[in-house]
Amino acid sequence: MSSDVRFTDFKSDKQPTWCPGCGDFGTMNGMMKALAETGNDPDNTFVVAGIGCSGKIGTYMHSYALHGVHGRALPVGQGVKMSRPDIEVMVAGGDGDGYSIGAGHFVHAVRRNVDMTYCVMDNRIYGLTKGQASPTSRSDFETSTTPEGPKQPPVNPLALALASGASFIAQSFASDALRHQEIVQEAIEHDGFGFVNVFSPCVTFNDVDTYDYFRDNLVDLEEEGHDPNDYEAAKEVILDSEKEYQGVMYQDENSVPYNEQHGVTEDMSEIPDGAPEDAMDLVREFY
Amino acid sequence: MAEDLNWAVGGEAGDGIDSTGKIFAQALSRAGRHVFTSKDFASRIRGGYTAYKIRTAVDDVQSVVDRLDILVALTQRTIDENLDELHEGSAIIYDGERSWEAEIPDEITAVDVPLKSLAEEAGGAIMRNVVALGAACEIADFDVEYLDESLEKRFGGKGSKIVENNKEAARLGQEYVQENYDLDHLGYSLETTDNDYVLLNGNEAIGMGAIAAGCRFYAGYPITPATSIMEYLTGRIEEYGGHVVQAEDELSAINMALGGARAGARAMTATSGAGIDLMTETFGLIATSETPLVITDVQRSGPSTGMPTKQEQGDLNMALYAGHGEVPRFVVAPTTITECFWKTIEAFNLAEKYNTPVFLISDLAMSVTEQTFPPEAFDMDAVEIDRGKLVDDDTVGEWLDSQGRFRAHAATEDGVSPRAIPGTTDGAHMSTGLEHDELGRRTEETDVRVQQVDKRNRKVETAKEEEGWEYREFGNPDSDNLVLSWGSNEGALVEALDYLEEDDIDLRVISVPYIFPRPDLTDEIESAEDVIVVECNATGQFADLIEHDALTRVKRINKYTGVRFKADELAEQITEKLSAEVPA
């Protein structure tokens, strides 16, 4: 079936209500193309999203999907994959969703290494609540709730992932369509938790981290000859606060995904009509 | 009333009190005797008073009473804590060689056994509790061979040497008492039978029920007293193709369980009140996205951190009303340990038949109490599984709209929509906590909003008609005195009937396992002269519901000391209430 799946099959008939020019359009298109390109179809794909502009993605895509509560998309995605190893799981979130309210879940999802893909649409601002500072906002970024800037340094999600033992860390740019799609594809194909931080500019509220800014400043790691299997090199680019990078920063060649580690290989949706045949053994244990 | 024996072992946490009690309880169970246990423990790992109590009889026992016959005291505090339950015929086993000098009331028989020395003689001081068990067998005139069986079960995995040493320790304890004391005047003699019993607690019954019901995915976060459900499932659920995951917090746990349920697995999470607080955020999402999920709340004393190791039934209102907005849910409350098993199975069926969350509420007393049952009480052949309107590739077509889109939230007459799980061809759809149309797409249209709210509430109405919301009844059905209860108080109430009979007082006892929907008790209440509601909380949350339903005032018996009701104590309180005025 998947051979004739086109990326438009992953599109719903609902028109996005994102602002014209929003980076989320490109982020989503790349995700859909990557899913189709890796042989998935809407019936075997589960997309989870939280709250915020990013959270709307499940509405605009066509697949099995859940639009959950703020910051908790990762636990839902892990629950799906742990109980259904046969299903492709993709989680989408924003920088607030993922690195603020959901930061705790992020750390643990990374260390569990469940075989799924996590794309964070990072616009470095809270868009849907109309322009407050986000965890990735620059320390001098002036907003309605931080008139002099947040002052504290932004979260470095890539470093947080690395420190948590991530097996795949990448960054892409929504507007560089082909590279973004390629990077998401690599994340899907990775055996384990594929994390992609996607620069997805907010054209309405963020006049600093703009398309032009990223176009002018983004360094492509592939062109630089970066070896993602080299942990030390990965550490260097991830901790480099001077430059913005796109590409796969780190990939653990020996990654063993959660389900494999725990021997969780069965489709848990299939259960007998009554109690399992040997269930009386459970009772006899209490003799 | 059952010819019973009340036994206890007490000391500091870390003294092996729990395993000592469990070994003796198992020995009694192996001897074909009924056993009912209770635990008194503090919220700490080491130190602090802790006790394991056993009531045993040849007849069924369902409660603890205010009497202690044989006490194994490893500390003075154990004696002090239980003074009011000791009587002239009681015996206290203690170790006079230890540094503390036991202060034992004159009228109580003090049995000084050098527990440590004898244990060392048998192979190690660690076995001093087993020496005490041997001594207890001698006092109770109970065949020590049953203790051997229990020791084999407990230590069999550690090798025959350990088992033999423990048996020897028990023998030394028994012989010491035999040689140094004449205790025949106490008159204890434990009869044995050929009956086969299993011995388990409420949390084990819930875990076993979950596996039997096809639960394959469990996500939870450790919290007293719910953790042992997770511990039971770990290592067992895998045998049936399932998985247990310890999440980073309760928020994650319930969301993981939600993911598992949407993926098609029968999924569950369990916690105690404080954890439900955190899970409440996701509760509305589960109901609105119409996800079948079982959420177990093993209640403990609240509010806040309250008394984490003590009994209470204070979360009933939370189960009924948790979450913002109005969402349909079921609230099921097992009343006995066997019911913990059966109601868990029913909770999974209800969740999937009506695509909605089911609160399974138990309490600390039931979760830690071990009780004997004939194994047939958990007859696996009687387990029925109903997966509701789960569609597959062949049946999904009935639920597609004209453009081939799956109507996951179809506004059916019975309020129940079809459910397609990932992998079902053409079943792809989104679910959300946002108000949505039949396809799951966000909407703010007034008529669609009303359609979906009505649809979700309609399934409760359907369930009210389709399901049997029965109650359990005991005592005299024609009595003018009606006592109502929910949760683990049932056993104590049933035994209180015997005490009251001695004073020529009869009762009709109704124990209600369903809180929402719940059986209509209006007729029963109207035909009674006195109505008393018994529950382990201060304000009478269940009594409030009864008053609301029947439009009448009821009398209340509330206990919120942190300790469960005892049969004799309850009989006394009921007698008092019967002669009291109905509150204005």
Side-chain angles (χ1 to χ4, degrees):
Chain A
M1 180 187 204
S2 41
S3 59
D4 52 7
V5 169
R6 303 187 48 218
F7 91 91
T8 48
D9 293 335
F10 282 97
K11 248 184 179 163
S12 82
D13 49 10
K14 200 88 173 166
Q15 278 305 311
T17 56
W18 288 321
C19 303
C22 176
D24 290 353
F25 287 97
T27 308
M28 181 174 74
N29 282 338
M31 287 164 65
M32 293 191 291
K33 285 179 178 166
L35 279 167
E37 205 58 40
T38 47
N40 294 291
D41 64 64
D43 289 335
N44 82 339
T45 304
F46 202 107
V47 174
V48 194
I51 301 289
C53 294
S54 65
K56 296 178 173 185
I57 197 162
T59 314
Y60 310 141
M61 287 177 68
H62 173 65
S63 72
Y64 285 91
L66 186 97
H67 172 228
V69 293
H70 203 187
R72 323 275 172 230
L74 281 174
V76 175
Q78 292 170 81
V80 173
K81 190 69 188 185
M82 286 176 188
S83 47
R84 291 291 301 277
D86 56 318
I87 295 299
E88 187 66 38
V89 177
M90 184 164 276
V91 176
D95 38 318
D97 194 67
Y99 309 142
S100 204
I101 187 165
H105 302 314
F106 177 58
V107 167
H108 294 281
V110 164
R111 57 188 275 264
R112 279 190 200 102
N113 202 30
V114 178
D115 189 12
M116 53 199 249
T117 307
Y118 181 40
C119 294
V120 178
M121 301 150 153
D122 184 2
N123 57 14
R124 298 178 172 176
I125 194 157
Y126 283 176
L128 207 56
T129 50
K130 301 188 193 301
Q132 298 79 30
S134 97
T136 50
S137 293
R138 297 158 191 254
S139 59
D140 59 354
F141 186 62
E142 295 167 15
T143 75
S144 62
T145 52
T146 54
E148 294 169 13
K151 302 207 169 162
Q152 65 268 41
V155 162
N156 179 343
L158 310 169
L160 191 56
L162 190 76
S164 307
S167 64
F168 184 98
I169 305 170
Q171 192 154 259
S172 67
F173 176 34
S175 174
D176 193 344
L178 194 59
R179 278 298 281 141
H180 166 58
Q181 181 197 329
E182 279 171 7
I183 291 164
V184 176
Q185 247 169 264
E186 284 192 55
I188 293 172
E189 281 162 354
H190 172 69
D191 284 335
F193 189 80
F195 166 52
V196 187
N197 191 63
V198 189
F199 292 130
S200 182
C202 173
V203 292
T204 307
F205 293 109
N206 191 333
D207 54 9
V208 180
D209 302 293
T210 60
Y211 285 102
D212 283 343
Y213 165 77
F214 285 112
R215 271 188 209 111
D216 294 345
N217 289 281
L218 215 52
V219 177
D220 196 301
L221 289 169
E222 204 173 49
E223 288 166 18
E224 298 284 297
H226 172 73
D227 174 8
N229 302 136
D230 182 342
Y231 187 82
E232 290 304 316
K235 209 157 70 177
E236 211 165 290
V237 291
I238 284 169
L239 294 177
D240 180 359
S241 56
E242 301 296 311
K243 287 182 188 156
E244 309 275 12
Y245 293 99
Q246 73 172 354
V248 180
M249 274 114 189
Y250 180 64
Q251 183 165 19
D252 176 5
E253 286 173 301
N254 303 314
S255 165
V256 181
Y258 183 94
N259 286 50
E260 209 174 301
Q261 282 176 44
H262 292 266
V264 186
T265 53
E266 291 193 40
D267 172 352
M268 294 181 196
S269 68
E270 288 174 10
I271 56 166
D273 292 338
E277 267 178 35
D278 53 351
M280 269 321 273
D281 289 350
L282 293 170
V283 185
R284 285 188 205 103
E285 244 185 83
F286 294 110
Y287 266 124
Chain B
M1 220 165 305
E3 267 304 317
D4 56 357
L5 178 95
N6 292 277
W7 176 95
V9 55
E12 289 195 355
D15 276 345
I17 301 301
D18 205 52
S19 49
T20 310
K22 187 82 184 278
I23 289 167
F24 197 47
Q26 257 160 0
L28 293 160
S29 170
R30 299 299 288 240
R33 294 183 62 86
H34 275 286
V35 167
F36 186 98
T37 75
S38 67
K39 292 175 194 175
D40 195 355
F41 58 107
S43 182
R44 54 196 286 180
I45 309 294
R46 290 195 72 89
Y49 171 70
T50 175
Y52 188 107
K53 295 186 175 181
I54 297 175
R55 183 162 168 234
T56 175
V58 170
D59 294 339
D60 193 10
V61 277
Q62 304 186 45
S63 164
V64 279
V65 289
D66 276 327
R67 200 181 79 245
L68 206 47
D69 304 313
I70 300 174
L71 174 66
V72 178
L74 300 179
T75 56
Q76 179 63 41
R77 190 169 167 197
T78 308
I79 299 170
D80 300 341
E81 288 275 348
N82 294 287
L83 269 185
D84 56 339
E85 295 191 3
L86 295 165
H87 55 96
E88 267 185 45
S90 300
I92 296 178
I93 299 167
Y94 72 106
D95 186 349
E97 281 187 351
R98 291 184 74 200
S99 54
W100 62 288
E101 202 160 316
E103 288 173 30
I104 297 175
D106 291 341
E107 65 273 23
I108 313 278
T109 305
V111 185
D112 180 354
V113 183
L115 303 176
K116 192 162 169 255
S117 308
L118 293 176
E120 279 166 352
E121 200 181 309
I126 196 167
M127 295 182 292
R128 66 195 175 113
N129 293 357
V130 179
V131 176
L133 288 177
C137 286
E138 178 59 25
I139 298 171
D141 188 18
F142 177 64
D143 194 340
V144 79
E145 279 177 19
Y146 292 109
L147 191 60
D148 291 347
E149 288 183 30
S150 188
L151 291 169
E152 277 164 21
K153 181 173 171 147
R154 179 87 189 181
F155 299 113
K158 296 185 175 176
S160 56
K161 177 95 175 112
I162 304 274
V163 175
E164 289 312 312
N165 286 353
N166 273 283
K167 286 181 182 174
E168 174 65 10
R171 287 295 180 291
L172 291 175
Q174 186 195 23
E175 283 163 18
Y176 187 87
V177 176
Q178 237 167 33
E179 287 160 16
N180 296 281
Y181 290 90
D182 179 10
L183 299 170
D184 290 348
H185 66 282
L186 293 176
Y188 295 116
S189 175
L190 293 193
E191 192 188 326
T192 59
T193 77
D194 291 335
N195 294 333
D196 274 337
Y197 292 126
V198 289
L199 180 76
L200 71 164
N201 67 37
N203 276 2
E204 287 164 336
I206 287 174
M208 193 165 71
I211 293 179
C215 173
R216 295 294 175 262
F217 185 64
Y218 179 96
Y221 188 77
I223 182 170
T224 302
T227 314
S228 58
I229 295 175
M230 187 168 174
E231 288 170 336
Y232 173 84
L233 291 173
T234 304
R236 287 185 182 80
I237 205 169
E238 292 88 344
E239 303 288 316
Y240 299 89
H243 184 58
V244 171
V245 57
Q246 180 174 318
E248 58 272 23
D249 54 35
E250 284 87 348
L251 297 147
S252 179
I254 194 166
N255 279 282
M256 283 183 173
L258 162 66
R262 290 225 67 91
R266 283 196 155 188
M268 175 166 88
T269 185
T271 185
S272 190
I276 297 280
D277 283 350
L278 296 172
M279 292 182 176
T280 299
E281 179 197 42
T282 301
F283 186 61
L285 170 66
I286 296 165
T288 313
S289 65
E290 306 198 76
T291 305
L293 193 67
V294 177
I295 303 158
T296 299
D297 177 12
V298 188
Q299 301 166 93
R300 67 186 207 189
S301 280
S304 190
T305 343
M307 299 194 291
T309 61
K310 303 296 174 189
Q311 160 73 349
E312 200 160 282
Q313 298 175 294
D315 297 350
L316 188 132
N317 283 339
M318 179 157 67
L320 283 169
Y321 307 117
H324 60 282
E326 300 169 304
V327 287
R329 73 195 73 198
F330 296 122
V331 182
V332 178
T335 55
T336 64
I337 290 170
T338 38
E339 284 299 295
C340 282
F341 175 79
W342 293 108
K343 288 289 175 283
T344 300
I345 295 165
E346 195 175 336
F348 279 100
N349 285 340
L350 285 172
E352 287 201 327
K353 277 171 84 174
Y354 299 98
N355 293 334
T356 203
V358 179
F359 265 119
L360 184 74
I361 48 177
S362 169
D363 56 51
L364 181 134
M366 197 141 55
S367 73
V368 298
T369 290
E370 268 127 11
Q371 206 179 332
T372 39
F373 301 95
E376 309 85 75
F378 305 97
D379 177 14
M380 292 290 177
D381 287 337
V383 171
E384 284 173 16
I385 288 174
D386 188 341
R387 304 214 68 186
K389 290 188 190 170
L390 182 64
V391 301
D392 58 25
D393 287 1
D394 299 327
T395 53
V396 68
E398 296 166 33
W399 298 98
L400 302 181
D401 73 356
S402 55
Q403 287 163 272
R405 299 173 299 196
F406 182 64
R407 293 162 61 222
H409 301 278
T412 55
E413 245 174 71
D414 62 3
V416 185
S417 305
R419 188 161 49 93
I421 60 169
T424 309
T425 307
D426 296 333
H429 66 279
M430 191 192 67
S431 281
T432 170
L434 289 166
E435 192 53 270
H436 45 261
D437 61 15
E438 287 195 318
L439 298 174
R441 302 180 308 176
R442 178 194 187 159
T443 183
E444 287 173 3
E445 281 177 44
T446 51
D447 52 343
V448 181
R449 159 71 176 175
V450 172
Q451 176 204 54
Q452 287 294 316
V453 171
D454 287 350
K455 182 199 91 79
R456 292 193 292 265
N457 287 332
R458 208 151 57 230
K459 52 190 167 190
V460 176
E461 296 310 311
T462 303
K464 278 182 184 171
E465 286 167 24
E466 299 269 317
E467 310 293 327
W469 306 103
E470 291 148 2
Y471 54 75
R472 292 157 64 83
E473 183 164 1
F474 307 91
N476 175 9
D478 301 320
S479 174
D480 289 333
N481 308 317
L482 175 63
V483 174
L484 300 172
S485 160
W486 67 284
S488 69
N489 316 312
E490 182 183 297
L493 267 173
V494 170
E495 294 216 335
L497 289 171
D498 294 339
Y499 288 90
L500 290 163
E501 202 180 301
E502 289 176 1
D503 297 330
D504 290 327
I505 297 172
D506 69 355
L507 295 181
R508 178 183 190 187
V509 174
I510 289 180
S511 175
V512 186
Y514 303 104
I515 310 297
F516 188 81
R518 57 185 168 272
D520 180 1
L521 297 168
T522 317
D523 290 347
E524 288 79 354
I525 288 165
E526 279 178 359
S527 63
E529 268 174 38
D530 262 306
V531 182
I532 304 173
V533 178
V534 173
E535 55 194 311
C536 279
N537 58 40
T539 60
Q541 297 176 28
F542 187 62
D544 288 345
L545 294 178
I546 295 298
E547 289 187 345
H548 171 272
D549 288 356
L551 298 175
T552 185
R553 301 292 280 181
V554 298
K555 297 175 181 176
R556 300 166 183 228
I557 294 177
N558 299 90
K559 186 173 182 181
Y560 45 98
T561 56
V563 180
R564 70 184 307 156
F565 284 109
K566 295 173 181 175
D568 43 1
E569 157 203 61
L570 204 43
E572 219 171 279
Q573 288 199 43
I574 289 170
T575 309
E576 278 171 32
K577 281 286 168 189
L578 285 174
S579 55
E581 293 289 309
V582 180

